[in-house]
Amino acid sequence: MQIMKRNVKINGIWKSFTGWNILLFCGIFVAANTKNASFPELASPANQVGLPAPGKEVIHPRGLMNAAGQRAIWLKVSDMGYLNKVKKLEEKLLKQHHLQDEKLSVKNAYAIGELLESFAFLYAITQNKNYAEKVTALLEQTITDSTVFHQPILKGLTRAQLVKAAAVSYDLCYHDLPVERRAVFSKQILLAALSMESVMGVEANYAQESNWMGVRYGTVLFAALVCDEPIASGFKNSLADALVWDARERLRDHIQQNINPDGWTAESMGYHFYNWSFIAPALIALENSTHLRGKAINQLAPHAIQSARAAATACISMSAAKGKGIKADLADDNLGVDANFFWYALRLYPEAQLPFIKWTALYLESIHDIKSLFLKLAFDDASVLPQNPTNAAWLNFVDPTQGVTVFRNRFKDSNDIVATFTVTAKRVRAHQSGDNLSFRILGLNNIWAIGAGRTGLKAGQTNLFPEEQIPLNKNYESGKTGLLISYKFEPNGSGTAIGSGSCMGVESHQRIFKVDYDTITDAQAVFIVTDSSENGKTWRLNTPAFNQVLKQPDGFLINAPDGSSMKAIVIGKTNAQLKVNISDVPYDGVTKENTTGIYFKGHYYKYSKAIDICCDKNITVVLTLTKKGQPHPAVSQHSNQSVLIGRKQIFLSN
């Protein structure tokens, strides 16, 4: 291919550039200089986005809520006894007030963005003008900042969080912001969004399916919808209109690639929660601006219609680092959940799902900060009566495209049990890891079987390996996918999934994963893992370091801190043949950024315990889960095709 060269005059000096250099230079130059762009006097966006024409009244709020929603919040706060809760969260927030006096930097940008948004939420809840004054002070610092807010080279995810926070604050606090500063705030927020539309900075993943693009276009769309952008003389449309049009369409493309048709996110569910903390506000603002309540999901995100169900089935209401909620750490994900997703979903999702979404939101509810309180006040509709998701057959979930199956015993409390199995049938140009034919087990208020965390190193995966000694520094085989051969669900959440395909170098690997919640097994749950292969040598299960692991003559025993336990029995081997090894594996591998380890009851754990069973190509392991004080059921091989567990015969092959 012939590369184009051009001469360009910069500051009076002619320089030679390739075509690629010119494109990169122009994108950065335009993005970096939008801060100083000049526009006419302030006016509202054009009618195209459903807002008043120039010269008419500027309407706020119109992003996360409209005026009617604002009034509804005030009524809830006065009528439902929220005042004490508001006061406690207010006191907690004001302890961070010192951030307002710190100079904005890359290090504190996220925290300052959260503080800015929180002050805006407090203003929306209380209408206390003191909070509008705090927002004003933070906005003044933010819009003049060139290290983060107007810095196109910075990592775009950090910048997006700050831009979104500024847009939310401008919209919610508009009526008590200084009149003479409104136009300046609006203009600078919009110009920062325009810059983000051009470039997402260092480390950006521009693949359509990456959450980077959801964060990017969600932020741009929201800012363009709430900013009051002038229309230049002689032009019919405003810059805001152009950004809305572009970001809306690009956001639609992203969602279609990022979420599979049945609702599971190709990057894993944790990234879905993060991504939708930017996408959901944009969709809500779009509905508020176009009077299309309830239609944004259908129009822009039809693939997401089953995502709330997928997330609800996968999550357990256990104590977490921020509030409540844990789920399987598939791909290179962590165990965390952002329960705020379900409040957003209650505002956006189809009417038929709302009773079950509301039940899940309340199940995971932990009003631990001002944002979670605001979202509950804004989107908790009293006319929607919560219903247990069991009534909607949400105990199981499958996404054939991704090859994910979820088996849940009930929706009740932190003792619920959830098992997740994935074959990773699809890989994307975004977050992924070595979890082909891997499983996760959560339940009885504990974490039992996990993955590797935010890493591509394979030692932390729960899987079958071709090595006798699994190296700590070796990655999984990138690009390898699996196949979901079949699956079957039972009404009580039990079922079977069969998959094939290894990313560990195991030849002809097939795994049958069976889950049984039947009480006649005399256990809380039974999991049977049957592996066949040509060269499998080590069967590994990773469990968090806070669990106690004991070798047993016929397998091993995992004791949880609260006394519940999981027992593993290997079928078809004599005790003399059985060899079990236990070692430590760093959770998250060697990754440093955005890693905290495994959170559990107020502590973070940096390691998992790898439990290895030596095998020769094939192996069957029965796992029984019991609560504190409950004995494990007897397990025996009933025939070549079945095992007897407690009082139940279970066939291995279907």
Side-chain angles (χ1 to χ4, degrees), residues 285-302:
L286 188 65
E287 291 195 349
N288 285 337
S289 71
T290 54
H291 311 292
L292 292 175
R293 183 179 175 98
K295 295 184 180 179
I297 285 281
N298 288 320
Q299 292 185 352
L300 264 69

Side-chain angles (χ1 to χ4, degrees), residues 50-293:
L51 298 169
K56 301 291 184 181
E57 180 187 1
V58 177
I59 298 174
H60 288 281
R62 61 177 188 248
L64 288 173
M65 64 172 62
N66 55 24
Q70 176 72 89
R71 289 191 294 272
I73 282 184
W74 300 336
L75 287 172
K76 287 178 183 179
V77 171
S78 61
D79 292 348
M80 297 175 63
Y82 277 102
L83 291 178
N84 288 336
K85 194 168 288 187
V86 170
K87 186 176 180 181
K88 287 180 181 178
L89 293 173
E90 202 173 5
E91 291 171 355
K92 180 180 176 182
L93 178 67
L94 290 176
K95 290 179 181 178
Q96 305 173 46
H97 190 260
H98 65 279
L99 281 170
Q100 189 166 343
D101 302 320
E102 290 185 12
K103 181 176 173 58
L104 187 60
S105 67
V106 175
K107 276 191 173 182
N108 66 15
Y110 246 90
I112 286 181
E114 289 175 348
L115 184 65
L116 175 58
E117 221 175 30
S118 295
F119 282 145
F121 292 148
L122 263 175
Y123 169 80
I125 292 168
T126 66
Q127 287 301 284
N128 185 335
K129 293 186 180 183
N130 289 336
Y131 293 116
E133 292 173 4
K134 295 182 188 299
V135 165
T136 299
L138 279 172
L139 280 176
E140 292 287 5
Q141 180 190 175
T142 300
I143 65 165
T144 57
D145 171 71
S146 58
T147 60
V148 181
F149 194 74
H150 285 297
Q151 178 50 264
I153 308 303
L154 182 75
K155 185 175 180 180
L157 299 180
T158 302
R159 191 177 179 213
Q161 198 272 346
L162 192 60
V163 173
K164 179 179 76 104
V168 167
S169 303
Y170 169 78
D171 181 51
L172 289 177
C173 301
Y174 177 86
H175 294 292
D176 277 316
L177 296 177
V179 174
E180 71 279 7
R181 300 302 291 164
R182 292 172 183 168
V184 178
F185 293 154
S186 179
K187 171 182 156 183
Q188 295 303 324
I189 294 167
L190 187 63
L191 293 180
L194 173 61
S195 171
M196 286 188 61
E197 184 83 352
S198 304
V199 63
M200 272 294 274
V202 69
E203 299 179 19
N205 185 340
Y206 288 101
Q208 273 189 338
E209 58 266 42
S210 169
N211 68 86
W212 279 74
M213 296 300 100
V215 172
R216 180 189 198 180
Y217 295 117
T219 300
V220 172
L221 180 57
F222 184 87
L225 285 165
V226 302
C227 283
D228 303 298
E229 203 278 319
I231 299 175
S233 177
F235 287 89
K236 179 181 178 182
N237 296 322
S238 69
L239 174 61
D241 283 335
L243 285 176
V244 167
W245 178 271
D246 188 63
R248 182 186 65 207
E249 297 309 307
R250 293 179 186 273
L251 189 60
R252 188 201 311 270
D253 292 342
H254 159 72
I255 293 169
Q256 186 174 18
Q257 296 298 317
N258 178 259
I259 303 177
N260 298 319
D262 290 281
W264 196 267
T265 302
E267 290 185 285
S268 185
M269 198 51 71
Y271 296 106
H272 180 77
F273 293 135
Y274 170 67
N275 199 15
W276 275 68
S277 69
F278 294 85
I279 292 175
L283 297 184
I284 292 168
L286 188 65
E287 291 195 349
N288 285 337
S289 71
T290 54
H291 311 292
L292 292 175
R293 183 179 175 98

Side-chain angles (χ1 to χ4, degrees), residues 464-479:
L464 184 69
F465 296 82
E467 304 99 336
E468 290 182 359
Q469 298 291 328
I470 302 167
L472 290 175
N473 61 352
K474 189 173 181 181
N475 283 342
Y476 72 98
E477 296 182 359
S478 180

Side-chain angles (χ1 to χ4, degrees), residues 448-452 457-463 465 468-472 538-551 555-558 579-587 598 606-614:
W448 300 99
I450 59 174
L457 296 175
K458 70 180 189 176
Q461 292 292 343
T462 292
N463 218 318
F465 296 82
E468 290 182 359
Q469 298 291 328
I470 302 167
L472 290 175
T538 301
W539 187 97
R540 170 169 284 189
L541 183 149
N542 276 281
T543 195
F546 53 77
N547 289 328
Q548 179 192 50
V549 181
L550 301 173
K551 295 181 183 180
F556 59 84
L557 180 70
I558 303 175
K579 185 179 178 183
V580 178
N581 297 311
I582 303 168
S583 60
D584 292 333
V585 174
Y587 192 75
I598 304 164
K606 296 289 188 180
Y607 285 84
S608 61
K609 293 178 181 177
I611 309 167
D612 293 340
I613 301 174
C614 298

